[in-house]
Amino acid sequence: GIFSVKAFPLAEDCVGISFENITERKRAEAVRQDQAAQLKVVFDQAAVGMARLSPEGQWIQVNEQLCKMLGYSREDLLKATFREVTYPEDAEQDAQIYGQLVSGEATQRSFEKRFVTQQGDIIWAYTTASTVRNMKGELMYFIATIQDVTARKEAISALEGQKNDLITVNVMLTDTLGVLEQRNQELDQFAYVTSHDLKAPLRAIANLATW
């Protein structure tokens, strides 16, 4: 076992010694350290962007994937807040979600938003933000996972464009079919009238021939 030894003075120049068995505590600390090391590996090597943010929204820990996604070095990104890399038109949505998380109205929110990279490009991301609080209920930090969904959004936009094009073509074909049906009706009417008008002279010619 592992013991904590403490020496303390006693009367008559004596020294007292106390022993405390801290084996279980040391084992618990070792387990916590091992878990922390494993979580750090998962955090750093995750295939999606991961971050820890202060209650004020400051990046305090980011993984390599997030830096790559946003085009920032780790040092530069840690100097910023999430607001500074958010697309301006999504700022209001972010503020509402941030307020819900800080107030405790929600403990986790998932949503889509746009980020502006250091190069000025705009990317779409599926973001999940969760709160971590201490035993007193005080907000300690946020944990965020950020997945780049730009390609999916562009594919959906392209499909919607194709869908609109097909709808337009279908409307044009419907209109053309209506015009063709009208022309066929006009041709049928013309054929009927022509046939009727030709019958009278043909009968007269037939009669003359008979005579």
Side-chain angles (χ1 to χ4, degrees):
I2 303 174
F3 291 84
S4 172
V5 181
K6 295 180 180 179
F8 51 90
L10 294 175
E12 300 180 357
D13 296 327
C14 293
V15 176
I17 299 177
S18 67
F19 295 86
E20 180 186 359
N21 190 335
I22 59 172
T23 304
E24 291 302 321
R25 190 174 72 189
K26 284 295 184 180
R27 286 176 180 170
E29 288 178 359
V31 170
R32 285 196 297 270
Q33 290 174 357
D34 184 57
Q35 290 175 340
Q38 292 179 20
L39 287 173
K40 187 176 186 304
V41 170
V42 172
F43 185 93
D44 291 337
Q45 298 182 3
V48 298
M50 293 192 69
R52 194 158 55 96
L53 299 95
S54 71
E56 296 73 35
Q58 181 84 27
W59 305 100
I60 54 179
Q61 185 180 4
V62 295
N63 70 348
E64 188 61 32
Q65 184 63 25
L66 181 59
C67 294
K68 181 179 177 181
M69 189 187 307
L70 298 180
Y72 283 83
S73 67
R74 193 185 301 267
E75 293 74 16
D76 288 340
L77 191 54
L78 292 176
K79 296 175 184 177
T81 66
F82 75 88
R83 300 177 187 84
E84 294 175 58
V85 294
T86 295
Y87 188 64
E89 291 185 12
D90 292 340
E92 183 177 350
Q93 172 193 248
D94 271 15
Q96 292 177 351
I97 294 172
Y98 174 78
Q100 293 171 354
L101 293 171
V102 170
S103 67
E105 180 182 344
T107 58
Q108 178 178 302
R109 287 294 308 273
S110 296
F111 52 97
E112 288 187 347
K113 62 171 290 184
R114 286 164 288 185
F115 287 99
V116 180
T117 69
Q118 191 172 38
Q119 295 73 32
D121 298 323
I122 298 171
I123 64 168
W124 278 95
Y126 181 77
T127 303
T128 298
S130 306
T131 55
V132 177
R133 298 178 181 272
N134 60 22
M135 297 297 292
K136 297 179 180 179
E138 299 168 337
L139 178 60
M140 297 173 62
Y141 53 84
F142 298 99
I143 291 290
T145 59
I146 301 167
Q147 181 180 3
D148 188 345
V149 294
T150 305
R152 179 172 65 82
K153 294 288 288 188
E154 290 177 347
I156 291 174
S157 178
L159 288 174
E160 289 177 347
Q162 293 176 1
K163 176 184 176 182
N164 292 334
D165 291 343
L166 289 173
I167 291 174
T168 301
V169 171
N170 186 52
V171 171
M172 293 174 62
L173 289 174
T174 301
D175 292 342
T176 301
L177 181 61
V179 172
L180 289 174
E181 289 178 347
Q182 182 179 352
R183 294 291 183 270
N184 285 335
Q185 291 176 358
E186 292 174 352
L187 286 172
D188 290 342
Q189 183 67 20
F190 176 77
Y192 173 79
V193 172
T194 303
S195 174
H196 182 270
D197 291 345
L198 286 175
K199 285 179 181 179
L202 286 175
R203 282 196 296 270
I205 293 172
N207 292 332
L208 289 173
T210 302
W211 292 345

